[in-house]
Amino acid sequence: MRRPAIYLVRHTLQRPPFQAEAIGRGNSLTRPELADTVWITAGTRDPGIALAHELAHVLMNSGEHSDEPDNLMRGETSGANTRLSVKQCTQLRENARGNGLLDP
Ligand SMILES: [Zn+2]
């Protein structure tokens, strides 16, 4: 399967349940088969923003959140949070390329 992979699912059996989840290299040690995947449930608020947010987690290989106004990586997803900083864009490109996630 090509990575990163995005799964749009009805719900999750995980407890506690998530609305959307990114599984990168760092949080897939006990489930390596799920590395570099994003999971978006039907109940996710602002699903387009949430998808971009979770995909950025995977591409940056980071679970970090930002406190910057309107930043895509704020902990709380909202339609206004669409921006990435130059530093985040650089981190995203470099880590994604290094992990082979930008290969054609
Ligand atoms: Zn997040």
Side-chain angles (χ1 to χ4, degrees):
M1 179 192 7
R2 296 186 60 168
R3 306 291 173 112
I6 297 164
Y7 295 92
L8 305 174
V9 295
R10 185 169 309 284
H11 60 83
T12 177
L13 298 177
Q14 281 196 20
R15 293 294 176 264
F18 61 84
Q19 284 192 357
E21 183 177 21
I23 304 174
R25 307 287 168 104
N27 63 345
S28 62
L29 299 179
T30 60
R31 45 189 179 164
E33 68 280 7
L34 298 181
D36 303 324
T37 63
V38 168
W39 299 78
I40 306 288
T41 66
T44 300
R45 192 165 32 92
D46 298 314
I49 300 294
L51 172 58
H53 174 102
E54 301 301 339
L55 187 57
H57 273 311
V58 167
L59 294 173
M60 289 194 271
N61 193 27
S62 167
E64 259 182 50
H65 287 125
S66 169
D67 292 331
E68 288 180 37
D70 301 335
N71 192 281
L72 179 64
M73 300 315 291
R74 287 183 67 85
E76 195 65 25
T77 304
S78 117
N81 297 346
T82 58
R83 302 178 63 86
L84 288 173
S85 69
V86 170
K87 182 179 171 203
Q88 287 172 316
C89 288
T90 301
Q91 180 186 7
L92 187 152
R93 267 194 318 274
E94 289 180 355
N95 289 348
R97 191 172 291 130
N99 286 329
L101 298 176
L102 297 182
D103 296 345

